[in-house]
């Protein structure tokens, strides 16, 4: 899907303001998560401007990318099962990644004026995919480099914005995430290696 697909929203700033108001309610008891979401939205809009992606769609996706991060693990697992979300490997081991796909199914009920590419980007911001669109990549990277993210990994990626093309920036972000997961001995989602190999070969050409 292209991030330039057709949609009709006349007053985009008013629409984003309504989304922020709804986010405030959703994250009322999760202030740090709200601040993170606002940071991702601003960063996604900036990246979109840099890489020729629709900044409104990028900001909208960033605002609500963690919409269901407020749910507890049992609820996330229950909703994923209810919606028939396909999970590679053990759902229990992947619960931290489910908030994106679950939200992507639920959010069109609240923000139906947005095109499907926004919800795809939200679904993919946790694990990626082999066929990431530009909007998918923008949201994925924005989640890693928004201002609250500290450390050498985030700083290195920020320094590469505008110097690398978007596909290479995404790959640097994705590969760095894999290194972190392995270094911290965390569960590696089964599709991660397939996605990594796809982009390693594709970008090597």
């Amino acid at each position: 899907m292209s991030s330039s697909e057709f949609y009709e929203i006349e007053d985009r700033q008013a629409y984003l303001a309504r989304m922020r108001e709804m986010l405030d309610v959703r994250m009322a008891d999760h202030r740090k998560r709200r601040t993170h979401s606002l940071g991702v939205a601003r960063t996604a809009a900036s990246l979109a401007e840099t890489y020729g992606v629709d900044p409104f769609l990028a900001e909208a996706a960033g605002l609500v990318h963690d919409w269901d991060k407020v749910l507890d693990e049992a609820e996330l697992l229950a909703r994923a099962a209810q919606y028939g979300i396909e999970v590679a490997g053990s759902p229990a081991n992947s619960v931290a990644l489910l908030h994106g796909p679950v939200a992507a199914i639920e959010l069109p009920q609240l923000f139906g004026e947005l095109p499907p590419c926004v919800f795809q980007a939200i679904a993919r911001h946790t694990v990626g995919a082999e066929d990431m669109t530009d909007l998918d990549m923008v949201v994925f990277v924005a989640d890693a480099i928004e201002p609250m993210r500290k450390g050498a990994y985030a700083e290195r990626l920020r320094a590469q914005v505008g110097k690398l093309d978007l596909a290479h920036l995404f790959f640097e972000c994705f590969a760095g995430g894999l290194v972190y997961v392995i270094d911290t001995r965390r569960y590696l989602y089964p599709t991660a290696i397939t996605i990594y190999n796809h982009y390693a070969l594709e970008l090597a050409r």
Side-chain angles (χ1 to χ4, degrees):
M1 287 181 190
S2 168
S3 63
S4 61
E5 62 187 276
F6 179 76
Y7 62 95
E8 283 190 279
I9 298 175
E10 291 186 6
D11 191 337
R12 298 179 183 184
Q13 292 308 310
Y15 195 91
L16 290 171
R18 181 171 75 89
M19 292 184 76
R20 284 190 288 268
E21 289 173 359
M22 295 176 71
L23 183 71
D24 287 345
V25 175
R26 182 70 166 177
M27 303 284 179
D29 296 326
H30 304 269
R31 300 186 63 157
K32 187 175 180 180
R33 181 63 48 195
R34 172 188 173 276
T35 302
H36 165 72
S37 297
L38 294 174
V40 172
R42 288 191 297 268
T43 304
S46 176
L47 285 171
E49 293 279 5
T50 298
Y51 289 105
V53 177
D54 187 325
F56 167 74
L57 297 182
E59 185 168 354
L63 280 172
V64 293
H65 78 288
D66 274 353
W67 187 262
D68 277 345
K69 198 77 180 277
V70 301
L71 301 177
D72 62 33
E73 292 188 356
E75 183 63 24
L76 272 173
L77 285 168
R79 294 192 189 191
Q82 176 188 347
Y83 301 145
I85 293 172
E86 293 186 10
V87 179
S90 165
N93 289 333
S94 307
V95 67
L97 308 174
L98 292 177
H99 63 281
V102 170
I105 292 176
E106 297 178 338
L107 286 170
Q109 300 173 45
L110 297 174
F111 306 109
E113 301 85 357
L114 295 172
C117 62
V118 170
F119 307 115
Q120 176 177 281
I122 291 167
R124 292 179 167 185
H125 88 271
T126 53
V127 296
E130 291 181 65
D131 58 343
M132 297 283 280
T133 67
D134 288 353
L135 180 60
D136 296 340
M137 292 181 185
V138 160
V139 176
F140 192 99
V141 174
D143 190 29
I145 68 170
E146 62 93 4
M148 286 183 65
R149 301 293 196 191
K150 307 299 182 186
Y153 169 63
E155 292 296 335
R156 185 177 70 253
L157 287 172
R158 290 186 191 111
Q160 293 172 323
V161 172
K163 297 177 181 177
L164 295 179
D165 63 57
L166 183 56
H168 281 87
L169 182 67
F170 161 73
F171 186 55
E172 287 294 318
C173 182
F174 188 84
L178 293 191
V179 170
Y180 173 77
V181 169
I182 293 169
D183 281 349
T184 55
R185 304 298 189 267
R186 301 186 183 206
Y187 176 73
L188 183 64
Y189 193 67
T191 64
I193 298 300
T194 301
I195 295 169
Y196 173 87
N197 284 336
H198 170 80
Y199 282 99
L201 294 173
E202 183 73 20
L203 296 177
R205 298 191 185 104

